[in-house]
Amino acid sequence: MRQTLAIIKPDAVGNGRTGRIIAHLESAGFALRAARMVTMTRAQAQSFYDVHRERPFYDALVAFMTSGPCIPMALEAPDAVRRLRQVIGATDPAEADPGTVRALYAESKERNAIHGSDSDGNARREIGFFFPECDRLG
Ligand code: IDP
Ligand code: MG
């Protein structure tokens, strides 16, 4: 899989980190193939995170992700899914490796600056969720 989905989350957009995060991703070898700015509706955020529906943090996560604009992006690189997960770091910034996007820019385990798809199947689904017009996945 050469493409994956990242989302610059509302905390990072609101804090003015957008440019630095995109520069970080480009420096790490990703090419930006699609991007938009969107304030997700509750229904969109619930659907995007449906896999977490039963988790205790689900309602808070949906509220956070709808709290302001975010920037979904389709990113391309060799081994894109695995590589992006390395570059963004662990979910909790306290556990993220130094120099990762979350270590640099995340506020907390919830307000953690960036999303990255966790598998090829989810990358396909998530790119299609925000960019249904994209037909060059793989
Ligand atoms: P990931 O984004 O590193 O793949 P997931 O476990 O898929 O992490 O969780 C999705 C998102 O839900 C996280 O990025 C974070 O914003 C939020 N989240 C995950 N675990 C917690 C938690 O324990 N407390 C609060 N928010 C959480
Ligand atoms: Mg995840």
Side-chain angles (χ1 to χ4, degrees):
M1 187 78 175
R2 287 189 51 80
Q3 292 192 358
T4 189
L5 185 91
I7 306 174
I8 305 176
K9 293 186 178 183
D11 58 320
V13 175
N15 289 335
R17 308 295 197 213
T18 299
R20 273 168 280 196
I21 290 174
I22 292 174
H24 189 111
L25 297 171
E26 288 184 326
S27 295
F30 290 96
L32 195 53
R33 292 299 183 220
R36 55 188 287 226
M37 179 175 271
V38 56
T39 301
M40 278 198 272
T41 65
R42 193 170 153 73
Q44 278 177 313
Q46 285 175 328
S47 169
F48 184 81
Y49 281 117
D50 191 58
V51 60
H52 294 314
R53 190 171 291 274
E54 304 302 327
R55 306 284 285 277
F57 58 80
Y58 178 73
D59 287 340
L61 176 61
V62 168
F64 164 52
M65 290 300 291
T66 57
S67 67
C70 67
I71 304 179
M73 303 178 287
L75 299 176
E76 186 166 308
D79 201 10
V81 171
R82 198 175 60 86
R83 178 81 185 119
L84 182 64
R85 295 292 301 199
Q86 289 173 342
V87 166
I88 71 179
T91 309
D92 184 344
E95 295 166 10
D97 287 341
T100 57
V101 175
R102 283 166 167 169
L104 289 167
Y105 302 118
E107 294 176 19
S108 67
K109 190 171 186 181
E110 176 182 82
R111 298 171 62 85
N112 62 358
I114 190 165
H115 167 87
S117 306
D118 65 2
S119 66
D120 286 0
N122 282 337
R124 262 190 206 93
R125 177 182 87 83
E126 293 175 359
I127 291 170
F129 186 95
F130 287 109
F131 305 105
E133 70 281 10
C134 278
D135 57 2
R136 290 181 51 252
L137 302 184

